[in-house]
Amino acid sequence: MKFGKIVSTVLVAGAMALVLAACEKEGPAERAGKEADKVVESVGKSIEKAGENIQDAAKGEKK
């Protein structure tokens, strides 16, 4: 019984290693997703900056 669990564990670990190794190559969808993330982050920063400028203008401060 103990030997069977060890063999099963080794097989599962080996299968996981193969799956992870196969996932390392980045496909076009992955690249597009990363680019979309960059754009969304950039837009978010711009909106945040605009909000800060509006708050500063409301307080009478200039940057």
Side-chain angles (χ1 to χ4, degrees):
M1 197 74 155
K2 204 174 197 182
F3 180 72
K5 283 187 176 186
I6 292 172
V7 171
S8 297
T9 303
V10 169
L11 289 175
V12 169
M16 290 175 72
L18 286 174
V19 168
L20 290 174
C23 290
E24 286 185 27
K25 187 174 179 183
E26 187 176 278
E30 182 77 20
R31 287 190 296 273
K34 286 183 178 182
E35 287 300 315
D37 288 345
K38 288 179 187 177
V39 169
V40 169
E41 184 176 342
S42 176
V43 169
K45 287 180 181 180
S46 296
I47 292 172
E48 185 176 343
K49 182 68 175 165
E52 290 172 1
N53 289 339
I54 291 170
Q55 286 179 344
D56 291 345
K59 292 177 186 175
E61 300 174 12
K62 289 188 178 181
K63 283 192 175 187

